[in-house]
Amino acid sequence: TVALAVPTVLAAGTAVLITRLRGNGPRTDLGLVWSWHDVRVGVLYGVGGLVVTIPASLLYVVLVGADQASSAVGDVFEGLRAGPLAAIGVALVVVVLAPLCEEIVYRGLLWGAVERYAVPRWVPFVVTTLLFALAHFEFTRTPLLFVVALPIAFARMQTGRLGASVVAHQVNNLLPGVVLALALVGVLPADMG
């Protein structure tokens, strides 16, 4: 769990540190502002995204086969068992920490960098969504990850801030995080994680 979390946390921490040392701070440079409005927007895009991504995931499984459809995180934990506290820790990394850190890097730092070139609004949307999908280094899953990232990017574009995309990403990761935790404690078969 630590090995999976550390690179993402370091990347997000570096992004925040850079904005503090050489920029205008994370609020301005990354859009890292929290509001209840952004939480509501994030939940709506997250749930709406599930309406799109669950069927897309099922289609992906049909196209590539169930044996090829697992995620890199699922592969890391496949066949492992853990106690409830460790399983909860893994779920928190997948559902809370990873989405926060990934959003700081992609829809925060990268989005802001592309936006500075005074390009049309859709350019940071497409660039960050594509790079997010590619950066998972699961190239057979890249089209699916692109689809998964669309509602998350829409949340960022609608509000102009990071909070909504973080929440949308967390909602998106909730089901896989819970399934992974249940597989780790043995409630679900280990190959479902």
Side-chain angles (χ1 to χ4, degrees):
T1 304
V2 171
L4 289 173
V6 166
T8 306
V9 170
L10 286 176
T14 301
V16 170
L17 183 63
I18 288 169
T19 65
R20 289 194 181 278
L21 297 176
R22 302 198 35 97
N24 301 308
R27 290 178 61 93
T28 302
D29 291 345
L30 304 176
L32 192 54
V33 180
W34 294 96
S35 73
W36 285 111
H37 171 73
D38 290 352
V39 170
R40 286 190 298 275
V41 170
V43 168
L44 288 173
Y45 275 100
V47 171
L50 291 174
V51 171
V52 173
T53 59
I54 289 174
S57 296
L58 295 172
L59 177 61
Y60 175 76
V61 170
V62 168
L63 293 174
V64 302
D67 57 326
Q68 299 294 316
S70 67
S71 70
V73 172
D75 290 345
V76 167
F77 290 101
E78 184 176 359
L80 296 179
R81 290 287 181 252
L85 288 179
I88 289 169
V90 169
L92 287 174
V93 167
V94 170
V95 176
V96 178
L97 185 63
L100 171 64
C101 293
E102 288 178 355
E103 290 308 303
I104 287 172
V105 172
Y106 294 100
R107 256 70 65 179
L109 186 68
L110 183 59
W111 187 291
V114 174
E115 202 171 44
R116 282 193 184 92
Y117 288 101
V119 295
R121 285 180 50 155
W122 62 267
V123 173
F125 177 95
V126 171
V127 168
T128 60
T129 303
L130 181 59
L131 288 177
F132 171 85
L134 290 168
H136 283 77
F137 297 107
E138 299 176 63
F139 299 114
T140 59
R141 290 183 70 226
T142 297
L144 176 61
L145 290 167
F146 186 85
V147 170
V148 166
L150 288 172
I152 298 167
F154 275 122
R156 168 65 162 94
M157 190 163 68
Q158 180 178 335
T159 63
R161 295 178 299 276
L162 204 53
S165 65
V166 169
V167 171
H169 196 152
Q170 290 170 336
V171 169
N172 179 77
N173 283 20
L174 181 60
L175 184 59
V178 169
V179 168
L180 182 57
L182 292 174
L184 285 171
V185 295
V187 172
L188 294 175
D191 62 350
M192 290 188 70

